[in-house]
Amino acid sequence: MKQKQADFFDQVYAVVQCIPAGRVSTYGAIARALGAARSSRLVGTALIMAHDPRLSIPVHRVVNRNGLLTGKQHYGSPSEMQERLEAEGIVVLEDQVQRFDQVFWDPGEHL
DNA sequence: TACCTGACTATTT
DNA sequence: AAAATAGCCAGGT
């Protein structure tokens, strides 16, 4: 184990876990909240590694800036992400979060 | 070690 | 207005 200073991923996990149920956030918003506005892709990569159930990270609450469930293919089932979102009261139609403005949660505001 | 790929976003055509 | 291209950063091979 290398002693590394606060992995970018760990920071992403912390923010994602702060997303309240029934709300969603975006890769860019999270990246910006961490001070890495241009690392939006890394946020997505981090979520892939966040699949570990021991971390209990609600990765399904993270979508792209259009409210599109771009990462649904990375779940066990392509529909799992939508199912989980709908279970929290989020309306999803055709892989797209409805009323996105209302459910969007900006980590920067919560800081 | 180097190259390729990718759960993005913003810019330009 | 929609579609294509470029920039970005780090992981995986």
Side-chain angles (χ1 to χ4, degrees):
Chain A
M1 299 294 270
K2 300 150 261 41
Q3 68 310 334
K4 38 197 342 200
Q5 53 260 299
D7 280 329
F8 181 79
F9 287 22
D10 290 329
Q11 298 181 72
V12 173
Y13 302 153
V15 174
V16 174
Q17 287 177 93
C18 284
I19 301 175
R23 287 284 194 283
V24 296
S25 192
T26 70
Y27 306 100
I30 294 170
R32 284 174 182 284
L34 297 176
R38 280 132 172 174
S39 303
S40 50
R41 297 179 112 161
L42 278 305
V43 177
T45 303
L47 296 185
I48 294 177
M49 301 182 35
H51 267 294
D52 193 327
R54 295 171 297 176
L55 299 172
S56 303
I57 300 175
V59 298
H60 55 274
R61 292 181 190 153
V62 185
V63 296
N64 77 347
R65 96 117 354 254
N66 278 309
L68 195 67
L69 283 58
T70 50
K72 70 174 201 169
Q73 274 297 324
H74 290 265
Y75 290 76
S77 232
S79 55
E80 187 178 321
M81 188 174 189
Q82 181 173 331
E83 295 288 307
R84 290 195 181 200
L85 288 172
E86 294 184 314
E88 297 189 346
I90 297 175
V91 183
V92 180
L93 184 60
E94 299 190 333
D95 304 339
Q96 190 176 246
V97 176
Q98 302 301 297
R99 308 190 292 193
F100 185 58
D101 321 18
Q102 296 177 44
V103 297
F104 175 68
W105 183 81
D106 188 341
E109 274 182 29
H110 184 66
L111 288 175

